[in-house]
Amino acid sequence: MDEFFKKLLFLDNVLKGIGQIMLQENRWTGLLFLIGIFMGSWQCGVAVLLSTAAGTFTAMKLNYDRSEINAGLYGFSAALVGVALAFLFQTTLLIWILIILGGVLAAVIQHFFIQKKIPVFTFPFIIITWVLVFMLHHFTHIPPSEMLSSEVVPSEYDDFLTCTNGFGEVIFQGGILSGIIFFIAVFISSPVAALYGLAASILGAGLSQLNGEPIQEIHMGLFGFNAVLSAIVFSGIKKTDGLWVLTAVLITIAIDDFLIDNHCLDIVGGVFTFPFVAGTWITLLIQKVFMKSKS
């Protein structure tokens, strides 16, 4: 019975880790994310399970704080490493091995920053994936995944689908249904976070369109997903929360558009969630300075 309970607890931690991709400590959110990922690609679904399980298992074996493990804090960066590699490359044996190793490394790096009390969000995923993508491109001949050229794009402009696609692209899913499921998954955990995220995706799409970004990529949610994450971080029910959300989203969109327009990170596979992390760090710094000036 104890063994069954341990397995159940491990699965719960894995699902919460997947939910934490959009900062939701909720097993049902994680389960819906997983369903949405599998609908887009079984390879991505298996990769997320493997990498999240690897990260969570590593945290348990290294005796990291039990409450942090139970909250899924060692799963989300690991999950993103897994889905990124399965999305970008054909899943050869080497890619499966790297998916597991990347999950392990993500947990270790995440722990280092948690110990230092530095809010790094998805930064471990970004660093690991940049390094792996660079090495795979330069030292192997593994072909790109077929998913890269088969993203589902609406034939006509649709504001709602464009904005829910912003949710989908957080986890590399371009399918319309996956984006809607991800939005619902966040909504059942935190309606406020989901609605702020939707508003941020609208703003990201709108401002990027004004900036002359490619319409097709805007429709796919590629200029909205970083804004979604930044909005979720600062979401809340206070009036001031809205101001911080707006600040974070505008900074994130500006960084996102600048990096993409100037092809700054093409050599390592793209921007991933770096604009979200950078925009959130800058906003937290502004927030800290503002709070000090008030006191």
Side-chain angles (χ1 to χ4, degrees), residues 89-99 136 140-143:
F89 298 96
Q90 284 189 19
T91 45
T92 61
L93 178 60
L94 176 60
I95 293 298
W96 287 119
I97 291 169
L98 290 176
I99 282 167
L136 286 165
T140 74
H141 298 288
I142 298 172

Side-chain angles (χ1 to χ4, degrees), residues 8-265:
L8 207 61
L9 184 62
F10 181 73
L11 178 61
D12 189 63
N13 293 341
V14 167
L15 288 176
K16 284 181 181 173
I18 297 169
Q20 286 281 16
I21 291 172
M22 295 197 208
L23 297 98
Q24 305 305 306
E25 185 188 333
N26 188 304
R27 62 182 66 87
W28 301 112
T29 299
L31 181 60
L32 283 174
F33 283 172
L34 192 58
I35 290 168
I37 295 164
F38 265 105
M39 286 177 65
S41 156
W42 71 265
Q43 292 98 327
C44 285
V46 173
V48 164
L49 276 175
L50 278 177
S51 57
T52 311
T56 305
F57 184 75
T58 300
M60 291 168 69
K61 286 299 172 185
L62 294 176
N63 293 316
Y64 293 164
D65 185 88
R66 175 59 62 180
S67 64
E68 293 168 358
I69 296 170
N70 291 345
L73 297 184
Y74 295 103
F76 65 93
S77 273
L80 286 169
V81 171
V83 73
L85 290 178
F87 175 79
L88 294 169
F89 298 96
Q90 284 189 19
T91 45
T92 61
L93 178 60
L94 176 60
I95 293 298
W96 287 119
I97 291 169
L98 290 176
I99 282 167
I100 294 168
L101 292 177
V104 170
L105 189 56
V108 173
I109 297 173
Q110 202 85 38
H111 178 68
F112 171 79
F113 285 111
I114 288 173
Q115 290 290 95
K116 299 290 181 184
K117 294 183 167 53
I118 300 170
V120 291
F121 305 107
T122 58
F123 193 60
F125 145 67
I126 297 164
I127 292 297
I128 293 166
T129 309
W130 276 347
V131 171
L132 289 178
V133 168
F134 180 83
M135 290 177 69
L136 286 165
H137 277 322
H138 286 80
F139 301 107
T140 74
H141 298 288
I142 298 172
S145 162
E146 291 176 6
M147 285 177 282
L148 279 173
S149 58
S150 62
E151 293 262 16
V152 179
V153 183
S155 55
E156 294 179 5
Y157 184 78
D158 186 307
D159 283 322
F160 180 72
L161 292 181
T162 296
C163 300
T164 53
N165 283 347
F167 279 80
E169 288 292 348
V170 171
I171 321 180
F172 295 88
Q173 300 307 303
I176 291 166
L177 201 52
S178 292
I180 293 170
I181 289 171
F182 293 170
F183 170 74
I184 293 168
V186 176
F187 190 87
I188 62 170
S189 174
S190 172
V192 172
L195 293 172
Y196 265 125
L198 196 66
S201 191
I202 293 168
L203 192 58
L207 290 179
S208 296
Q209 196 164 352
L210 286 174
N211 195 37
E213 306 299 345
I215 290 294
Q216 184 176 348
E217 292 179 11
I218 292 170
H219 288 188
M220 288 164 66
L222 294 176
F223 288 92
F225 71 91
N226 276 293
V228 168
L229 289 171
S230 292
I232 290 172
V233 170
F234 293 96
S235 62
I237 56 172
K238 297 176 186 173
K239 288 180 181 177
T240 51
D241 292 332
L243 290 173
W244 291 118
V245 166
L246 182 62
T247 302
V249 167
L250 289 175
I251 293 170
T252 298
I253 292 167
I255 293 170
D256 196 12
D257 286 7
F258 174 81
L259 292 175
I260 291 173
D261 287 348
N262 292 281
H263 306 283
C264 296
L265 299 168

